[in-house]
Each structure stands twice: as structure tokens, then as C-alpha cells.
Amino acid sequence: MNDRTIGHPGDMLQGYVDGTLTVAELRSVADHLTACTRCRSELQEFKRVDQILRQIPLERASVHLSGTVLERLHIGMPHDAALRVLARVGAGFAFLIVAATLIAVCAVTGVIDLGGLAPGGEGAGRWVTEPWNALTQAASGLGAVVARHFPFLSQQGALAILTFTAAVAALLGAMDLLFSRRSMRR
Amino acid sequence: MIPSPHSEQDVIARILAGGHRDYAILVNRYKDRAFTLAFRLVEDREAAEELVQDAFVRAYRSLDRFRGEASFGTWLYRIVYNLCMSRISREGKRVLTVEISDELDASADSAGERNPTPLEQIEEEELQHRIGEEIARLPAQMRTAVLLFYVEGLSYSAMASVMQIPIGTVKTLLFRGRSRLRERIKGRCDKEVNVT
């Protein structure tokens, strides 16, 4: 038998929870609820499900979504895209600084190690005349220092690692700067 | 009262007047809600992200046709919904498996036979998780109605506009969606009570 035919409000309970009933319907359901335990219990069930559904969590879209949309529309530089470029430029410079530092340390350590400019050392107070020789000697010197601290490495091995690191750092720095310039042009 | 400079109509007016970057305000305002709708419909995070991007791009390109009769959100959800439905149809998933009629009596008939629910015995968090699972099992249109009502907080008329169906059908879908959720959760709870 249909609920309504025996006076139960049935689906009107949902309207009661949603607040979509007319005043007359609302009054009728409210009157019924005061007398019907079953409908009161059912109303609690409606309310419970309603309450849970209202707590469905929002899913978070990617933080890059708005940047990507604006990029697709070719609209200027959105905030997060600008930050990405900035980070890339920063990383580029950082890599280049690392490369330069490695080369500088190589040079200084090499000279000191070889006694070229070390105070009181042989040949103190004069620069090595051939720049290429100076660089080679400096690198060899640093290789020697590293090899001394890490006995399992040969001087050539240490030198190879240092050279490779400096080259990779310089390459990464150059690439980052290049890509950041492209992003800025877009 | 002084209108907010970020009120939707103002933002749209600024965009149409050439302040294209202001579109980011609308994107940021609606991206999570649009994404939630898309994600719950296609059940794939990456696909949902792409669909939402497409929806924002389409909305922007036809922004000059936006008349402001509904909110930008309602308009956007309609695009998201259409894109999701196209995708679901393309993939051959079921879009709607229920016959919609304006009569709600059939759904209400069984409701009167129930005993007091054991829902209250279940931890809230676990129940929410279950509701999430059950929502995913609803037919797409029913799921959309539930999401638009509860997550997006749309009115019946806005839902009808998004889904391009009559308000009566929206109410039916919502009612049946909620009834199914209630029944399924109740069924699962009863099974667990019997097992223990």
C-alpha cells in the first residue's frame, strides 16, 4: 500500500528536510510526525544521509590548472607561471655559480698546491704565465687534493669527476636560462 | 553597500573590456568545484583535469555570449557536464540506466517498511567513505544531480539549466539518487550486522 494512502508522508519527508514543501504540506508533515514514530525515525535517516552528503569533500584541482588554462589562452604571464620561470632562472644562475665556483676553486687550489702563489712557496708572488697551463695545473692540483682525501680515487679519477660536475652544472645552468627566456617570450 | 571589485559580473566586465588576466580570478574561484564534478563523473583524475581545462577554455572563448542570467559557475558546470557526458558516451559507459517518470511514488513505497536505521552505529568517517563509493556507482545523471545539489549547492532550476532537463526530472533524479544511497548504505550495514 502506498504510504500516502495510509497517511504517511513518504517522499515528502525529503522535501521536509530540503525545505521545499509548501506551508500546507509542511504543516501536514509536521502534524504527522508528532504522532508517528516510524516516520520520525525515517526522518532521522533522511537527515543523516543529507548531512553526510553535505560533507562530500571538494577534490583539489592541480595548482597549475589556472596557469595552464591561461597559457592555452595565450593570456600574459599568470602568477604561478611567472613563479615557475623565476624559479628556473634562479636554478640556472645557481648552476652557473656552482660551475664557476668549481673552476675557481680548482684554479686557486691548484696554484696553492703547486706552490705557484702560496706564501713562502716556491714561485710565490707570481702567476703562472700560460693561462691554459695554469688551469690544467690547477685542475690537477685539485684532483691531487681530492685524491689525497679520498684515497680510493686516483688523481685522474677525481679530476674527471670534478670536470664532469662543472660541465653538467654549466650545461644545466645554460639550459635553464634558455628555457626561462622562451617561457617569458610566450 | 559597495560592490566587491571581484564580484563575478565586475570580473567578467573587466575581462570583456580587455583585462584578460582577470580570467584567472574566475578560474581560481571555480576550478576545485568544476574539478570535483568532473572527477566524480569520469573517475579519472588526469582526464578530469583535462576536461576542466577544456571547459575553462571554451567558457572563455564564448564569454561574450554569457548573459549573466545564471552565475558563471552554473554556465561552466554545464560545459563541464557536457564534456564529461560526451567522454562517458565515447567510452561506452552507461550514462543513464533508469527510466525517469514524474511519479515518485514507486520510490517512496518501499520507504515505509524500514525499521530504525543502524546508520548511527557506524563511524562518520567510514560512512562518508562508503557514501563516496556508492555515489560512484550511481548512473551518471543521478550522480550529477546529487553532486550539483550537495557539492555545488545549486538550486533545482540551476541544476536543470546545467543538465538541460526539466526541473521535475532533476527532482526525480535527486530523489532516486538519495533513496538509492540510503538503501545501499542500509543494506551494507544490515549485512555487516548479520555477519557479526
Side-chain angles (χ1 to χ4, degrees), chain B residues 25-43:
Chain B
I25 296 171
L26 292 180
V27 176
N28 285 326
R29 188 174 293 174
Y30 286 105
K31 66 177 183 179
D32 288 341
R33 294 188 172 279
F35 178 72
T36 302
L37 177 63
F39 176 62
R40 296 272 183 183
L41 282 174
V42 300
E43 298 167 57

Side-chain angles (χ1 to χ4, degrees), chain B residues 9-26:
Chain B
Q9 288 303 324
D10 287 341
V11 172
I12 290 171
R14 286 206 302 271
I15 296 166
L16 291 175
H20 305 295
R21 290 184 190 185
D22 282 344
Y23 193 53
I25 296 171
L26 292 180

